[in-house]
Amino acid sequence: MKLIKILCLSMIALLPLQGCSMNEMKEDANDVKEDVQRPVEEAKDEVEDRIDNLTAYFKEKDVELNELQTIEDIDFAADEGRSFTVDGKTVYIYRVNQDDAKMQKVIKEAKENGKVKVNITGTEMEYGAHVNQDYLMLYDTSVNVDPIVSVFDSYTY
């Protein structure tokens, strides 16, 4: 009987120690989770296509992008944009958010008609349009953009 009491008291005395080790195990598990999530997030950033990849592709294909500029203020659902000139006219390329309902309509119109009406410079205008993956290219229809379009259409990521 005395042995049973000693064993019971020993087990009761060790219970708080078990709690500490459980907390330590939870902390270790959280550390492991963070260690796993960090590289996953970094890899996600590396995998996501960027408009700089597209402009680099143009350069690889010897397409000169005159006066290449970053577009800061975008009036529609685009994550980023660049502009450049062809024969003195501005060409716009946007990496668009295809989850946006309005952008889905613009993309559909561009694919079906090769033209869209959008507000870029403060007024709504009609532009020639091409779509490739998450990219929308808009341009003045009076400009010959055929060499640019063929490279744009061949871009894959």
Side-chain angles (χ1 to χ4, degrees):
M1 186 71 160
K2 197 174 186 182
L3 181 60
I4 293 175
K5 285 183 183 179
I6 292 173
L7 284 174
C8 286
L9 289 175
S10 298
M11 289 176 70
I12 291 172
L14 291 175
L15 279 177
L17 294 177
Q18 267 187 323
C20 290
S21 67
M22 286 298 275
N23 286 338
E24 288 175 8
M25 286 174 50
K26 286 179 183 177
E27 288 175 16
D28 289 345
N30 286 336
D31 290 344
V32 169
K33 181 179 174 184
E34 288 175 18
D35 289 345
V36 169
Q37 283 179 334
R38 192 174 309 116
V40 169
E41 290 298 319
E42 290 170 3
K44 180 181 172 189
D45 289 342
E46 289 176 16
V47 169
E48 186 177 335
D49 195 9
R50 303 268 191 238
I51 203 163
D52 290 335
N53 298 341
L54 176 60
T55 56
Y57 182 74
F58 277 119
K59 290 176 186 174
E60 286 174 22
K61 297 296 181 182
D62 296 325
V63 173
E64 190 173 327
L65 303 177
N66 298 316
E67 301 176 41
L68 182 64
Q69 296 180 9
T70 300
I71 301 170
E72 298 294 333
D73 296 321
I74 302 172
D75 291 339
F76 48 85
D79 296 320
E80 56 185 338
R82 300 287 186 277
S83 67
F84 55 94
T85 60
V86 174
D87 297 333
K89 304 283 184 172
T90 305
V91 176
Y92 305 92
I93 297 179
Y94 298 95
R95 186 169 60 88
V96 297
N97 178 352
Q98 293 198 34
D99 294 331
D100 181 79
K102 288 181 182 178
M103 184 52 67
Q104 289 173 357
K105 291 178 184 177
V106 170
I107 296 294
K108 181 179 178 188
E109 184 181 346
K111 287 179 178 179
E112 290 175 357
N113 305 326
K115 295 181 181 181
V116 295
K117 285 186 178 181
V118 293
N119 181 359
I120 294 178
T121 58
T123 55
E124 187 173 85
M125 294 179 57
E126 185 173 76
Y127 292 92
H130 281 272
V131 177
N132 180 351
Q133 302 172 113
D134 290 339
Y135 294 99
L136 173 65
M137 182 170 71
L138 305 173
Y139 53 91
D140 186 309
T141 56
S142 68
V143 177
N144 179 13
V145 292
D146 291 342
I148 295 167
V149 169
S150 65
V151 173
F152 177 77
D153 288 345
S154 68
Y155 175 75
T156 58
Y157 184 79

